[in-house]
């Protein structure tokens, strides 16, 4: 029954990579995996109904959602930064953010597709007490929005409103898009020359989708300390940082993608990429490259892990 499902937990605050993901926060690869799964599952379907019991999840009353959504077709599913966009017919769009504990589950007679925070690990008992919005399609399949802390949202916009909302966010380029070049990164580093490099690459106005996990991994791979002032990063180091961001995110998306077809009832285990993490949250442990000790430091309120011997 569960032959089409994904598990997208990602570790934040975990010391041991094999267990215990106490604060999973979906990053770009996880959201991209949800996007790919949903695209396959719902593109072309028609919406028939909507219900919600949590008014902050929506930007209009549920009754209005019902009216607007009824009969609308799913034209496309996209991702922008860590948000999902479902394009509907007649110029409507649903903009989703899963925040810390949001989960999207699609279920039809044959499939159970789970993406986001691992609240519900199967489709068996849906809707559950964590289900706060349900999209029903004309073929009687459902998309459930589950959220423990209820910070996630699904907002409904007309095209021009959506464009305005996205413009306001001042998001930088997607890391896997053509606009994200070494030159672009170098110029951004010069503009923020006194900020620490980790903060600069995590700043969504510079480039989106590089969160705590992937910034640690990127800087380790590039051999650059997370607290280096951005203005002191040399061009060849910037090139290595740029290439690492792209390579690591691509590998993470690929790893998440591999868990797509075989997830059944994981006990909250993160996607396959966590097995490839080299430095994130490994402070106090041996560096896998030089056997020295991985250290940690606070940067902008976040814990950065790095190897003082491998990163300069
Ligand atoms: Zn090392």
């Amino acid at each position: 029954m569960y032959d089409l499902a994904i598990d997208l937990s990602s570790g934040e605050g975990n010391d041991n990579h094999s267990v215990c993901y106490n604060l999973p926060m979906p990053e770009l690869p996880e959201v991209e995996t949800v996007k790919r799964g949903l695209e396959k599952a719902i593109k072309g379907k028609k919406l028939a109904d909507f219900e919600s019991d949590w008014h902050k999840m929506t930007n209009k009353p549920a009754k209005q959602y019902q009216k607007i959504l009824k009969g609308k077709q799913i034209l496309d599913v996209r991702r922008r930064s860590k948000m999902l966009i479902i394009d509907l017919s007649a110029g409507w769009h649903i903009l989703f953010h899963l925040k810390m504990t949001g989960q999207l589950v699609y279920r039809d007679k044959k499939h159970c597709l789970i993406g986001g925070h691992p609240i519900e690990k199967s489709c068996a008992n849906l809707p559950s007490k964590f289900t706060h919005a349900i999209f029903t399609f004309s073929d009687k399949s459902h998309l459930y929005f589950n959220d423990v802390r209820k910070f996630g949202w699904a907002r409904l916009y007309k095209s021009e409103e959506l464009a305005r909302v996205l413009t306001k966010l001042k998001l930088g380029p997607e890391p896997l898009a053509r606009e994200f070049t070494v030159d672009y990164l170098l110029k951004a580093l010069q503009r923020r020359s006194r900020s620490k490099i980790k903060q600069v690459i995590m700043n969504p106005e510079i480039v989106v989708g590089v969160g705590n996990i992937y910034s640690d991994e990127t800087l380790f791979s590039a051999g650059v300390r997370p607290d280096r002032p951005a203005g002191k990063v040399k061009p060849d180091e910037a090139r290595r940082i740029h290439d690492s961001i792209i390579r690591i995110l691509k590998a993470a998306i690929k790893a998440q993608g591999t868990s797509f077809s075989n997830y059944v009832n994981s006990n909250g285990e993160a996607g396959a990429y966590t097995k490839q993490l080299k430095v994130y949250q490994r402070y106090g442990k041996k560096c896998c490259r030089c056997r020295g000790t991985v250290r940690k430091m606070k940067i902008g309120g976040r814990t950065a892990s790095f190897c003082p011997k491998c990163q300069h």
Side-chain angles (χ1 to χ4, degrees), residues 232-249:
K232 297 264 166 72
V233 172
K234 298 182 194 104
D236 63 312
E237 291 171 322
R239 177 177 295 279
R240 290 207 300 270
I241 292 170
H242 172 267
D243 294 354
S244 300
I245 289 175
I246 294 171
R247 184 171 38 77
I248 287 169
L249 286 175

Side-chain angles (χ1 to χ4, degrees), residues 220 279 286-294 306-311:
F220 177 75
V279 71
K286 273 191 180 154
C287 169
C288 56
R289 192 181 287 160
C290 73
R291 314 308 288 169
T293 307
V294 174
F306 69 104
C307 173
K309 280 191 190 163
C310 296
Q311 291 170 258

Side-chain angles (χ1 to χ4, degrees), residues 11 44 69 76 82 94 100 116 142 153 166 170 214 265 276:
L69 293 178
D76 207 357
K82 295 197 290 189
I94 314 169
M100 298 292 280
H142 301 279
W153 38 255
L166 291 177
K170 291 189 190 153
Y214 298 108
N265 57 354
Q276 298 174 48

Side-chain angles (χ1 to χ4, degrees), residues 14-25:
N14 55 311
D15 278 340
N16 180 335
H17 285 130
S18 60
V19 287
C20 181
Y21 296 90
N22 46 8
L23 260 187
M25 172 75 163

Side-chain angles (χ1 to χ4, degrees), residues 28-194:
L28 183 146
E30 292 77 22
V31 180
E32 177 65 21
T33 311
V34 180
K35 181 237 147 192
R36 291 181 185 186
L38 268 186
E39 192 179 17
K40 271 189 199 162
I42 67 171
K43 206 166 159 177
K45 286 189 193 293
K46 262 191 186 160
L47 281 158
D49 202 2
F50 174 82
E51 51 193 299
S52 174
D53 68 350
W54 177 234
H55 67 284
K56 286 187 179 168
M57 194 166 249
T58 57
N59 59 339
K60 306 175 197 300
K63 276 241 158 21
Q64 233 174 307
Y65 266 55
Q66 265 174 358
K67 243 190 219 164
I68 294 167
L69 293 178
K70 195 170 179 186
K72 298 290 182 297
Q73 192 172 22
I74 313 294
L75 301 181
D76 207 357
V77 182
R78 297 182 281 142
R79 179 188 57 74
R80 179 68 175 115
S81 187
K82 295 197 290 189
M83 293 173 290
L84 283 170
I85 304 168
I86 296 184
D87 296 323
L88 305 171
S89 52
W92 285 97
H93 310 266
I94 314 169
L95 183 67
F96 289 86
H97 202 309
L98 300 178
K99 294 286 178 177
M100 298 292 280
T101 57
Q103 177 189 50
L104 284 172
V105 179
Y106 172 78
R107 181 175 70 180
D108 63 20
K109 280 193 189 114
K110 285 191 196 145
H111 304 119
C112 168
L113 184 122
I114 300 176
H117 187 281
I119 314 167
E120 301 297 342
K121 306 203 175 66
S122 83
C123 282
N125 298 309
L126 289 176
S128 74
K129 63 176 174 175
F130 298 119
T131 303
H132 298 296
I134 307 174
F135 298 84
T136 303
F137 298 95
S138 59
D139 62 359
K140 305 273 189 266
S141 59
H142 301 279
L143 179 65
Y144 300 92
F145 194 159
N146 305 326
D147 199 343
V148 177
R149 292 173 68 181
K150 303 203 282 189
F151 291 134
W153 38 255
R155 295 176 184 158
L156 197 48
Y157 296 115
K158 286 291 270 184
S159 301
E160 57 274 21
E161 289 178 285
L162 177 70
R164 254 201 314 274
V165 167
L166 291 177
T167 305
K168 250 194 197 162
L169 294 173
K170 291 189 190 153
L171 296 174
E174 290 287 331
L176 303 180
R178 218 176 288 156
E179 306 95 276
F180 183 59
T181 60
V182 179
D183 264 1
Y184 169 86
L185 180 63
L186 266 172
K187 284 190 185 115
L189 296 184
Q190 292 315 319
R191 277 203 314 276
R192 313 255 169 170
S193 60
R194 282 190 223 163

